[in-house]
Amino acid sequence: MIQATERALRRLSEGMAIASGLAFLLLAIFTTLDVTSRKLGGPFSGITDTLAAFVMAFGATWSLAQALAGGAHVRIDVLQSLYGRRMTRLSAFLALLTTTVFSGVLCWRAWLVTFESWSIGAYVPQSLVTLRLAWPQGVTAIGYSALVL
């Protein structure tokens, strides 16, 4: 059961990373077309900054889980080469534990902010798009939740 859960979480994190990468690609294409059209005197959307902010929050948090699961995280430990097998395992465990605790705090606070924004009916400020603020915050909280898992 643990292996099945681990495989499912790995597939979920890979799917989330692919979705965030695709979102960045689509944002780059959209921004290029929007800016080019504006420079050539054509129409432009006026929401490029808002979309970029949403994609940055979404893309950054949704790819964290896959980076950790895939070993793409950066660990700086100048003494690692001097450690024996036991110390290496202990330091890896402590690194994972502190990452999990820190991620848990981020996740907890992200969900609190999301629920608060929903309860007060907050909307995205200074935007041409009328969108409840809780939606992009919730997407970010989902990314942190996947990192904790």
Side-chain angles (χ1 to χ4, degrees):
M1 170 133 167
I2 292 175
Q3 290 176 343
T5 303
E6 184 180 345
R7 278 194 305 272
L9 287 173
R10 189 174 296 269
R11 279 195 303 270
L12 174 68
S13 68
E14 287 173 1
M16 291 172 74
I18 289 169
S20 66
L22 183 60
F24 278 118
L25 178 63
L26 292 174
L27 176 65
I29 292 168
F30 176 77
T31 302
T32 301
L33 293 174
D34 199 43
V35 169
T36 302
S37 179
R38 186 181 329 168
K39 283 287 187 189
L40 297 176
F44 65 95
S45 67
I47 62 167
T48 304
D49 292 341
T50 303
L51 286 178
F54 292 161
V55 170
M56 291 295 284
F58 159 73
T61 59
W62 276 45
S63 58
L64 289 173
Q66 203 284 325
L68 185 63
H73 56 287
V74 176
R75 184 168 154 194
I76 301 170
D77 192 347
V78 295
L79 300 176
Q80 186 72 33
S81 62
L82 302 175
Y83 291 166
R85 183 177 293 181
R86 284 181 119 168
M87 191 61 179
T88 300
R89 286 184 184 160
L90 177 63
S91 68
F93 173 75
L94 291 174
L96 185 58
L97 179 66
T98 56
T99 300
T100 303
V101 169
F102 179 67
S103 302
V105 170
L106 290 175
C107 177
W108 168 58
R109 296 302 300 174
W111 282 113
L112 285 179
V113 167
T114 301
F115 292 138
E116 178 70 18
S117 293
W118 184 265
S119 70
I120 65 173
Y123 284 86
V124 174
Q126 301 174 350
S127 175
L128 298 175
V129 179
T130 303
L131 180 68
R132 301 248 344 223
L133 188 57
W135 289 110
Q137 289 172 340
V139 169
T140 300
I142 289 170
Y144 286 134
S145 299
L147 178 60
V148 171
L149 292 174

